[in-house]
Amino acid sequence: PAAAGFLLAGAKSKRIAQLQAALVLLGALEQYISYETATLSEITYKLKEDARFRVLGLSMLDTHRRDAAAALCACFQDNPALCLEQQDVQLLCDCCSNLGATDTDGQIRHCQMYRQALEQRLEEQRAVCRQKSRLYRSLGVFAGLFCAVLFC
């Protein structure tokens, strides 16, 4: 029981770390789009090699796929290690699916729009984490103590 409380609190913290990494990822996309003349496939290869994005599972990214945006989306959707909510994954997939559809300025604005949405989700998660992490840990400890008293 005590472990369950710590696991729930840990999952909330892990989601925060993954949302932060997703924000850094969108910032990196903006930089690549702004300052490099690389194709989306070349950009996804660079993202795959970047250690900052291992927490998102990008090391598993299939860079040999013809559609690099679909490969990025699949990486987010098919990763059971992610603690992201479905809405988080959908935001990332929507952002990735529209990459390369407009000119450079349009793509940068596109990334910025999705970064703002993810920043809002991150702040909401931080508030939830502050509020509930202590509760989950306390409930886990008290449930463990209750079981120890009950069964000993």
Side-chain angles (χ1 to χ4, degrees):
F6 285 104
L7 287 175
L8 283 171
K12 299 285 184 200
S13 297
K14 190 174 179 182
R15 179 171 175 239
I16 287 175
Q18 290 173 346
L19 284 171
Q20 288 171 330
L23 285 170
V24 173
L25 172 74
L26 293 182
L29 277 172
E30 282 181 49
Q31 286 183 337
Y32 286 134
I33 291 167
S34 297
Y35 301 113
E36 295 190 20
T37 56
T39 66
L40 188 53
S41 295
E42 293 168 335
I43 291 172
T44 56
Y45 182 78
K46 289 177 183 181
L47 295 174
K48 177 182 179 175
E49 299 299 315
D50 194 326
R52 297 176 295 173
F53 308 124
R54 288 202 178 111
V55 70
L56 294 172
L58 289 192
S59 58
M60 308 290 284
L61 184 64
D62 181 7
T63 54
H64 299 295
R65 257 176 108 159
R66 290 185 64 130
D67 187 356
L72 269 170
C73 187
C75 188
F76 297 128
Q77 289 177 329
D78 301 335
N79 189 345
L82 287 181
C83 290
L84 299 176
E85 293 179 355
Q86 184 59 36
Q87 289 176 318
D88 303 331
V89 172
Q90 192 60 49
L91 275 172
L92 289 169
C93 285
D94 289 347
C95 180
C96 293
S97 67
N98 291 318
L99 288 174
T102 62
D103 65 342
T104 302
D105 292 333
Q107 289 183 68
I108 292 169
R109 283 192 306 273
H110 177 79
C111 287
Q112 289 171 343
M113 180 181 74
Y114 281 98
R115 273 183 59 197
Q116 288 174 348
L118 277 177
E119 284 172 354
Q120 181 180 358
R121 298 208 34 96
L122 175 61
E123 289 308 313
E124 291 168 1
Q125 182 60 31
R126 283 183 175 147
V128 166
C129 195
R130 278 191 300 271
Q131 184 181 36
K132 293 189 178 177
S133 287
R134 225 178 284 143
L135 172 69
Y136 291 146
R137 289 185 185 117
S138 299
L139 284 175
V141 169
F142 286 126
L145 289 173
F146 178 74
C147 288
V149 169
L150 186 65
F151 295 113
C152 292

